[in-house]
Amino acid sequence: EVAYAGGAYTPILSNSSYYLYTGESYWTMSPDSFGGSYAYVLYVYSDGHLYHYYVNNTNAVVPAVSLKPEATVKRGTGAYNDPFVINTD
């Protein structure tokens, strides 16, 4: 998700102008590979660049869902107790 949104895989090319940039460090939800008994997951640094690490501790996760540009919200505010409902027509 982050790579497609514009996150760079190296600090030399760090990018802070993509829509998943938060200014905070966080794990992504999707593993990018597996090795031994660990999943390797992309970690986003506070400057916007990303790198993969094996998951052996806790940290924040920022979930993301990619929608087609023509998708519209049927209802909801996006709050925890009032999530967005997307039109499926």
Side-chain angles (χ1 to χ4, degrees):
E1 304 92 341
V2 176
Y4 285 129
Y9 203 74
T10 173
I12 298 168
L13 302 172
S14 65
N15 179 8
S16 62
S17 58
Y18 57 97
Y19 76 96
L20 292 174
Y21 173 75
T22 66
E24 300 290 330
S25 297
Y26 62 88
W27 295 102
T28 63
M29 290 176 48
S30 305
D32 82 332
S33 61
F34 295 92
S37 61
Y38 293 108
Y40 286 82
V41 178
L42 290 175
Y43 184 78
V44 181
Y45 286 88
S46 59
D47 69 356
H49 85 276
L50 51 121
Y51 194 73
H52 74 258
Y53 292 100
Y54 66 90
V55 180
N56 67 343
N57 60 16
T58 59
N59 211 327
V61 173
V62 176
V65 176
S66 298
L67 302 172
K68 293 180 179 181
E70 60 271 14
T72 58
V73 175
K74 184 184 284 188
R75 65 178 177 272
T77 63
Y80 173 77
N81 60 352
D82 187 26
F84 292 124
V85 176
I86 306 301
N87 283 318
T88 57
D89 302 332

